Amino acid sequence: MRALIMGLSMFVALAAGSAAQAQQNDLAKYCKADVARLCPNVPPGGGKIIQCLKAHGKEMSVGCAQALQKMKG
């Protein structure tokens, strides 16, 4: 029984990691041009690029805005 619980816990953790990775892939895919256009001098790390994109919310593409929205949820 303990092995089953551990196996399920690992599966849930992997599934959550896969979902997070998919969201990050969407963000990279849909926001690449927006980052280059709106945040060209912002160094990566510490959430600075996300903050920059949010600051330019009205200027960002629909796809990028949707990818950011998915990350919130």
Side-chain angles (χ1 to χ4, degrees):
M1 182 62 122
R2 185 175 179 184
L4 177 63
I5 293 171
M6 288 178 65
L8 287 174
S9 296
M10 289 174 53
F11 175 76
V12 169
L14 287 173
S18 295
Q21 185 64 42
Q23 288 175 343
Q24 289 178 346
N25 289 344
D26 283 350
L27 193 63
K29 178 180 174 181
Y30 294 113
C31 295
K32 184 177 181 179
D34 289 11
V35 170
R37 181 174 51 91
L38 301 170
C39 310
N41 298 318
V42 176
K48 293 177 187 131
I49 291 177
I50 301 283
Q51 289 173 345
C52 177
L53 287 172
K54 287 179 180 179
H56 293 279
K58 297 204 186 268
E59 302 165 69
M60 123 176 50
S61 67
V62 172
C64 183
Q66 289 175 343
L68 276 175
Q69 192 67 21
K70 282 183 186 177
M71 284 194 73
K72 287 182 182 178

